[in-house]
Amino acid sequence: MSRPVLACPNLLRLQGGRPSLIGSRCADCGEVYFPLAASCTRCLGTRLEPHDLGSTGVLWSWTIQGFLPKPPYNSGETADSFRPYGVGYVEMASGIKVESRLTWADPASLRIGMPMALTIVPYGLSENGEQVSTFAFEPADKCLKGDEHV
Ligand SMILES: [Zn+2]
């Protein structure tokens, strides 16, 4: 399996094909950030270290994006090809909430508190036509995975 070209390589770690999110953690007070931060808003420290946020969390809140996002977001979709998709905040084990596209767009199946798992999804094409991927969260419950993916 070839390594996917990531739209945000500094936010993800791929190990054995499994993704995890990379944030930063303040070496002085322990505050965790995502995406990476250069300084700590809690203690004003500047000694931030890469921090693995893991690949699972729980859905903290969500909505369905029903219109084409405005630039600079660019997934290559057009008004004709666009399909509504889920957007949510996923609370990771550290307590930090990560905003993410969801693979699921069925409001009847999404509920606050449901377990979610990180995955890699197609995002768009690069200038030279290469498929670029990004992260998203999907329901961790295997029985919810299926043809409802968007
Ligand atoms: Zn700090």
Side-chain angles (χ1 to χ4, degrees):
M1 182 177 130
S2 64
R3 274 180 90 80
V5 177
L6 298 173
C8 45
N10 60 331
L11 302 182
L12 285 169
R13 177 180 294 155
L14 285 175
Q15 222 156 18
R18 296 174 54 93
S20 61
L21 288 178
I22 303 301
S24 50
R25 182 177 178 276
C26 178
D28 294 318
C29 75
E31 188 75 4
V32 174
Y33 294 89
F34 183 84
L36 301 166
S39 62
C40 179
T41 55
R42 184 177 180 205
C43 76
L44 306 181
T46 54
R47 297 191 311 133
L48 281 93
E49 303 165 335
H51 183 69
D52 191 326
L53 298 172
S55 59
T56 59
V58 296
L59 191 57
W60 184 77
S61 191
W62 59 271
T63 189
I64 303 297
Q65 170 85 25
F67 54 89
L68 197 60
K70 295 178 172 65
Y73 191 90
N74 178 13
S75 63
E77 295 166 300
T78 66
D80 289 335
S81 66
F82 175 77
R83 297 290 174 269
Y85 60 87
V87 179
Y89 281 96
V90 175
E91 185 171 16
M92 308 301 285
S94 67
I96 194 166
K97 297 169 187 77
V98 173
E99 183 180 6
S100 174
R101 191 163 175 151
L102 307 176
T103 61
W104 203 257
D106 175 11
S109 300
L110 292 169
R111 59 178 172 74
I112 290 172
M114 69 190 296
M116 304 295 284
L118 188 66
T119 189
I120 302 293
V121 295
Y123 174 70
L125 298 177
S126 69
E127 287 177 4
N128 56 8
E130 214 169 25
Q131 177 65 58
V132 177
S133 300
T134 190
F135 70 87
F137 278 88
E138 62 185 355
D141 185 345
K142 301 276 189 262
C143 71
L144 279 179
K145 294 180 182 176
D147 56 5
E148 289 291 324
H149 276 79
V150 292

